[in-house]
Amino acid sequence: YMINNNGVKKMDNADIKYFTNKELKAFFRAIEKDNSKYKVRNECIFKLAYYCALRVSEVALIKVDDFNNSKNEIYCRRLKGSLNNTIRIVDPDILRSVKRYLRTINHDTMFISQKGLPISRKTLDKLMKKYCEMAKIKDKDKWHFHTLKHTRAVNLAESGLDLKEIQYWLGHKEISNTQIYFQFTSSQYETLYKKLKKDKF
């Protein structure tokens, strides 16, 4: 991270590690192959964390009541100066995973440990490394939970959403933190040139 002139912490390009599409698929396949009794919980954690671009410490904050079953929306509490937001789950695979998991639990906090406490950062980091190893992801710098957030941000930029839409999704207060992801995508530039092509001079 770098500190700008206003004393605000900003991401440096070197901080951004993200999965390729191939690595992301391998990562989720590894979770699906998990035969532990926590497979349904873990699958829900990582799919939801990726989809909503959650930090590791934000996962433990989710309450069962934060999910609106009729609207398929989830309220995300953001930390580190980010803005809380509500995200609708339109991906059927993510939605199926969330609803399947919710049918198996009867506690208020969505993700808890064996001891009945909100799942810890340590446990999530351990699981992240386990699945990255199973997925044979070679770059160990990517074996961190935050890689999921970066991957989601890059994929949203690649999908053609504009800067303000991605800023809302990620909960960024500073748009400059969102902007940094656009350097990793070519689709935005293609959209730009298509718009210019339509202009008549």
Side-chain angles (χ1 to χ4, degrees), residues 116-131:
L117 299 168
I119 196 156
S120 70
R121 182 193 189 105
K122 191 179 173 186
T123 299
L124 291 172
D125 281 336
K126 200 173 165 186
L127 287 170
M128 185 77 195
K129 286 176 172 61
K130 171 189 165 181
Y131 293 131

Side-chain angles (χ1 to χ4, degrees), residues 8-121:
V8 176
K9 227 172 144 186
K10 283 183 68 183
M11 272 185 297
D12 180 15
N13 302 4
D15 293 324
I16 294 179
K17 288 283 183 183
Y18 62 96
F19 292 138
T20 62
N21 286 337
K22 190 179 174 184
E23 287 171 335
L24 188 65
K25 281 178 185 167
F27 178 79
F28 283 119
R29 267 201 306 272
I31 299 173
E32 281 159 18
K33 286 178 188 167
D34 185 0
N35 54 12
S36 77
K37 63 177 180 175
Y38 296 107
K39 178 194 168 174
V40 174
R41 181 201 68 181
N42 295 349
E43 195 175 341
C44 182
I45 285 171
F46 286 98
K47 285 185 175 177
L48 198 58
Y50 164 72
Y51 186 80
C52 297
L54 297 170
R55 288 186 176 89
V56 64
S57 44
E58 292 165 350
V59 171
L61 301 178
I62 305 171
K63 305 287 182 194
V64 170
D65 286 348
D66 290 334
F67 180 68
N68 184 321
N69 198 49
S70 59
K71 291 184 177 178
N72 296 332
E73 289 178 346
I74 189 149
Y75 180 69
C76 302
R77 291 177 184 80
R78 308 280 182 178
L79 299 171
K80 296 195 177 176
S82 293
L83 305 170
N84 297 346
N85 58 357
T86 299
I87 291 176
R88 181 171 297 169
I89 304 172
V90 293
D91 183 314
D93 179 53
I94 309 286
L95 193 58
R96 198 162 41 243
S97 182
V98 171
K99 292 197 172 187
R100 181 169 59 225
Y101 172 65
L102 286 174
R103 286 196 293 271
T104 69
I105 61 171
N106 59 356
H107 36 76
D108 297 334
T109 299
M110 195 177 277
F111 301 115
I112 61 169
S113 65
Q114 288 169 282
K115 295 173 183 172
L117 299 168
I119 196 156
S120 70
R121 182 193 189 105

Side-chain angles (χ1 to χ4, degrees), residues 153-161 166 184-188:
V154 170
N155 289 347
L156 287 171
E158 189 69 38
S159 74
L161 292 181
I166 298 169
F184 300 104
T185 171
S186 57
S187 71
Q188 287 297 326

